[in-house]
Amino acid sequence: MNERKPVTLTRLREMHARGEKIAMLTAYDASFGRLCDEAGVDTILVGDSLGNVIQGQPGTMPVSLEDMAYHVAAVARGNRNCWLIGDLPFGSYQESHEQAVRSSVKLVQAGAQMVKLEGGGWTADTVRFIVERGIPVCAHIGFTPQTVHALGGYRVQGREGEAAETMLRHATELADAGAAMLVMEMVPSTVAERVTKALPIPTIGIGAGPGTSGQVLVLHDMLNVTRGRLPKFVRNFMEGAPSIAAALRSYVEEVKAGRFPDPALHGY
Ligand code: KIV
């Protein structure tokens, strides 16, 4: 029986205030929505990584808003207690503030409690516009897969001094604009830690070291069912686990205990 209380934005803020690590995982269907919930995951991200791991696309760019709404609705039917975040896909928020709100409304009506969008700089105004209309927003900086071509490939962002300062500025602008959470992907651990200390909101890292307020992994990566080589920052939680449910529980335990990511194993 699932006796957990629903995770709300207030509870996430309380966890952040008392220094409890936040365990986020991606999920894309009702079965994994339920399994994540039963494993004690705090927040599920219905990521546009579904382009890669569900649709077999080369990246996230082909994912449509309709695809996202379909998967958000599926996860929402399986999940009862995890805070549910839906990714705004490429092309669904770049045109205008109105387009961004329309797209966010669609994901909220499908069951999302928060939307996530990628990028710093101009996105701060978009975040403010969505938040002012009553929809919580999670920002996403560092490596942003929707702009992989502009970034010149899959690589760590914010390494050099100036790039690190820009990242800190973008993070601050996004928090000032009302973002309630910030994902940092493939960012040097020192930079991620600096941003985390500077912001009043929880930060969630993926390939960003142990110094963030929480962690996220792509479900298929941590269950080791992704095709091809896994990034160095991923741990295969199926190794030694008797079941998928046990692997998910172990992920939550390891994140909460601050044992994942382990700088010695993941090269931070
Ligand atoms: O789409 C996704 O799964 C994501 C995570 C990698 C943070 O954005």
Side-chain angles (χ1 to χ4, degrees):
M1 234 210 0
N2 193 341
E3 286 164 6
R4 272 208 313 155
K5 276 212 231 123
V7 178
T8 59
L9 201 45
T10 306
R11 281 192 60 202
L12 288 167
R13 286 181 176 133
E14 286 167 359
M15 286 168 64
H16 176 233
R18 62 174 179 263
E20 180 181 338
K21 294 277 184 187
I22 297 169
M24 180 191 285
L25 259 185
T26 69
Y28 315 97
D29 64 27
S31 300
F32 276 100
R34 180 176 56 77
L35 283 171
C36 284
D37 186 8
E38 288 171 358
V41 167
D42 297 307
T43 167
I44 296 175
L45 168 66
V46 185
D48 60 358
S49 50
L50 68 84
N52 305 80
V53 299
I54 302 291
Q55 298 177 335
Q57 309 272 16
T60 60
M61 270 90 106
V63 176
S64 69
L65 186 59
E66 288 66 35
D67 293 337
M68 288 308 308
Y70 174 90
H71 287 279
V72 166
V75 174
R77 284 192 284 271
N79 170 53
R80 285 176 53 198
N81 298 303
C82 304
W83 179 251
L84 191 54
I85 307 174
D87 248 346
L88 288 172
F90 183 61
S92 74
Y93 58 95
Q94 286 88 348
E95 272 173 33
S96 66
H97 290 165
E98 288 73 18
Q99 184 210 24
V101 171
R102 259 196 314 279
S103 302
S104 303
V105 166
K106 185 148 178 147
L107 295 191
V108 170
Q109 287 178 336
Q113 293 159 309
M114 175 181 247
V115 297
K116 177 166 84 57
L117 55 80
E118 294 184 4
W122 66 271
T123 57
D125 285 341
T126 308
V127 167
R128 182 174 290 106
F129 198 81
I130 300 171
V131 170
E132 281 173 351
R133 276 142 192 86
I135 300 173
V137 175
C138 174
H140 178 162
I141 59 171
F143 177 71
T144 45
Q146 292 176 10
T147 46
V148 59
H149 300 316
L151 294 176
Y154 288 81
R155 55 172 67 158
V156 173
Q157 300 295 309
R159 264 200 210 286
E160 293 81 28
E162 201 181 316
E165 294 312 314
T166 305
M167 194 159 295
L168 182 58
R169 181 166 49 78
H170 284 170
T172 307
E173 286 167 1
L174 288 160
D176 288 349
M181 202 182 277
L182 176 74
V183 165
M184 283 187 279
E185 180 166 356
M186 291 171 68
V187 170
S189 113
T190 46
V191 178
E193 200 171 330
R194 233 181 112 198
V195 170
T196 300
K197 285 189 176 138
L199 292 198
I201 59 171
T203 61
I204 309 291
I206 173 163
T212 50
S213 325
Q215 297 291 327
V216 59
L217 282 179
V218 169
L219 179 72
H220 291 55
D221 289 351
M222 56 84 75
L223 293 179
N224 199 30
V225 291
T226 301
R227 243 180 338 155
R229 234 186 57 197
L230 289 179
K232 203 171 167 192
F233 57 77
V234 175
R235 189 197 296 181
N236 171 11
F237 281 87
M238 278 308 285
E239 204 174 287
S243 65
I244 286 175
L248 299 181
R249 279 197 303 275
S250 155
Y251 170 74
V252 173
E253 278 165 23
E254 293 291 283
V255 169
K256 295 273 176 199
R259 289 190 297 262
F260 176 77
D262 178 346
L265 293 178
H266 300 280
Y268 295 114

